[in-house]
Amino acid sequence: MLAGRPAEGIEHIEHLSASHRAKQRLKTVVETLHGDVSIGEACDRLGVHASRFHEMRHEALAAAAERLEPRHPGRKQRRALADIGELERLKSRVAELEKELVLERTRTDVARVAPGGVRRARSRGSP
């Protein structure tokens, strides 16, 4: 005989971080899968039609199956910090280029106004 904790069964759901309503829905879905509750009783308990209950059950099972898909072992790479540094560098470069663009537009506007180019004003003492 194996020693250990007794299985909690459906009571595992109580330990999930979810709203009371979500836990009740999940318990009802699991109870119907186990055969403890009929679909009609589940619909009455949740206040939904059978078609909506079937949708809910499908969504719950699909979400559970997706979360159980195999993933890469180990921790995720810490690429995010490198990406943040790159993002800051690119933001700085964009700001630099925007300043240059404003300067060039100003030069272009001045060149349009003064077709001969920008001339320096003569000093008062010069002819």
Side-chain angles (χ1 to χ4, degrees):
M1 183 179 260
L2 296 174
R5 294 182 188 177
E8 287 185 64
I10 201 162
E11 294 307 313
H12 279 287
I13 294 172
E14 286 302 320
H15 302 295
L16 298 174
S17 62
S19 69
H20 176 72
R21 185 175 183 195
K23 291 177 186 178
Q24 286 305 111
R25 287 177 167 197
L26 181 57
K27 276 185 178 181
T28 303
V29 166
V30 172
E31 287 172 338
T32 60
L33 293 172
H34 193 258
D36 296 337
V37 175
S38 71
I39 300 294
E41 186 180 344
C43 292
D44 290 343
R45 188 186 294 180
L46 299 176
V48 297
H49 292 284
S51 60
R52 177 62 186 130
F53 177 78
H54 290 296
E55 283 178 17
M56 286 172 42
R57 182 176 57 189
H58 177 77
E59 290 169 3
L61 294 174
E66 192 277 324
R67 292 294 295 167
L68 295 172
E69 285 293 334
R71 299 175 194 258
H72 295 289
R75 290 185 178 183
K76 290 184 180 180
Q77 292 181 353
R78 298 194 67 190
R79 235 184 297 158
L81 292 177
D83 290 345
I84 291 171
E86 178 71 5
L87 180 63
E88 290 304 316
R89 188 187 69 73
L90 290 172
K91 283 181 180 180
S92 175
R93 182 67 178 139
V94 166
E96 223 176 273
L97 291 172
E98 285 175 341
K99 287 178 187 176
E100 288 180 26
L101 179 61
V102 168
L103 183 60
E104 286 302 316
R105 283 183 176 163
T106 304
R107 287 181 184 149
T108 303
D109 290 344
V110 169
R112 283 188 196 138
V113 173
V118 179
R119 297 182 182 158
R120 293 186 185 192
R122 294 186 209 179
S123 61
R124 294 189 175 199
S126 303

